[in-house]
Amino acid sequence: KVLTTYLRGVKVTTKGTEETGLIPLVQTDGLIHHTLNLVSTVTGRLSSKNPNSQNIPTSLKYLFRSRFGDGGKILEIDYSQLEVCLQAYLSQAPQMIKDIENGVDFHCKRLAYAEGKSYEEVVKLVEEQPETWGAKRRAAKTVSFQKAYGAQPESLARTTGLPLKVIEQIFQQEDQEYPEISQFVEDVVSQIEQSRVPTQAPLWINDKDL
């Protein structure tokens, strides 16, 4: 799969055969120019194709060199815990802002809630035992993202496989530490309920109806 997807392979279609992989995508200038898709995902995230540079295996990244030679660098840039930063900004939760400024790993913090351990102990375990505790951190990461978008304990228990009591414990401890977040959510829901206006308009409107 790595060979045919990321290096060079042959794909058989009804129209014949075509080459796949990164090598056929090298242009005459010796560079690979991928395409960034701005509006092709349901969630609004960027995606890319020819090649999908967001999904190149770490084992193959050594193949890439900067167009500027030995003096150039290739950067991999990603937002760190963006949902958490937005929650802190919108709710102005003092403790969460302080934790962000101090570089707290919120996924490890939620894992500490679930395991009943200290934050420092969990960070150390994730570093020393990445296979087992790294997997646990990834499950906690799912809780972080889905909770930020309004998921409830029952649905999180189904999607993560974590016991419902553990999810509820995470929610409870987080609400105690960052009470401004739940208050912000309640305020938004209240504003929506007070300002909404019933309408008889159809759910789907065609261009010709406008």
Side-chain angles (χ1 to χ4, degrees):
K1 179 182 177 180
V2 171
L3 176 65
T4 58
T5 302
Y6 298 105
L7 295 177
R8 170 171 277 169
V10 176
K11 182 180 179 180
V12 179
T13 68
T14 55
K15 297 180 180 180
T17 60
E18 61 182 55
E19 286 189 305
T20 62
L22 296 174
I23 294 177
L25 296 175
V26 177
Q27 305 299 311
T28 55
D29 58 3
L31 304 177
I32 290 179
H33 302 274
H34 72 171
T35 300
L36 281 173
N37 305 311
L38 301 178
V39 293
S40 63
T41 64
V42 175
T43 60
R45 290 190 174 204
L46 278 176
S47 66
S48 63
K49 64 179 181 180
N50 297 326
N52 178 2
S53 59
Q54 296 166 308
N55 196 34
I56 295 173
T58 302
S59 60
L60 293 181
K61 289 182 179 179
Y62 76 94
L63 295 172
F64 292 84
R65 294 290 183 272
S66 168
R67 70 178 70 186
F68 303 107
D70 293 338
K73 295 183 182 298
I74 296 179
L75 303 180
E76 183 175 355
I77 302 172
D78 189 15
Y79 289 111
S80 176
Q81 304 179 133
L82 180 59
E83 286 81 359
V84 174
C85 294
L86 286 173
Q87 283 180 307
Y89 175 77
L90 292 171
S91 66
Q92 288 297 295
Q95 185 59 47
M96 180 170 276
I97 293 173
K98 183 178 179 180
D99 286 347
I100 292 172
E101 292 174 343
N102 291 333
V104 168
D105 184 326
F106 284 84
H107 308 318
C108 283
K109 193 164 189 177
R110 289 188 170 108
L111 181 55
Y113 293 156
E115 295 287 335
K117 298 181 181 295
S118 70
Y119 168 75
E120 292 76 16
E121 186 178 2
V122 168
V123 170
K124 186 177 180 181
L125 286 167
V126 170
E127 291 176 353
E128 295 177 348
Q129 304 177 36
E131 290 188 4
T132 54
W133 282 88
K136 290 184 177 184
R137 181 186 178 277
R138 285 190 291 275
K141 185 176 181 179
T142 302
V143 175
S144 300
F145 289 141
Q146 294 192 23
K147 184 178 185 296
Y149 288 105
Q152 298 303 303
E154 293 78 8
S155 61
L156 278 169
R158 289 194 298 270
T159 56
T160 63
L162 295 172
L164 178 58
K165 288 185 177 180
V166 171
I167 302 293
E168 290 175 340
Q169 181 178 339
I170 294 175
F171 273 53
Q172 182 179 3
Q173 290 194 242
E174 188 163 295
D175 287 344
Q176 289 176 357
E177 194 155 1
Y178 312 122
E180 296 83 5
I181 294 177
S182 56
Q183 184 61 56
F184 170 78
V185 173
E186 290 177 12
D187 291 343
V188 171
V189 172
S190 177
Q191 290 176 25
I192 293 172
E193 290 177 343
Q194 292 175 21
S195 62
R196 63 185 178 182
V197 178
T199 176
Q200 297 301 320
L203 294 177
W204 298 101
I205 301 177
N206 297 322
D207 291 343
K208 63 181 181 181
D209 296 327
L210 298 177

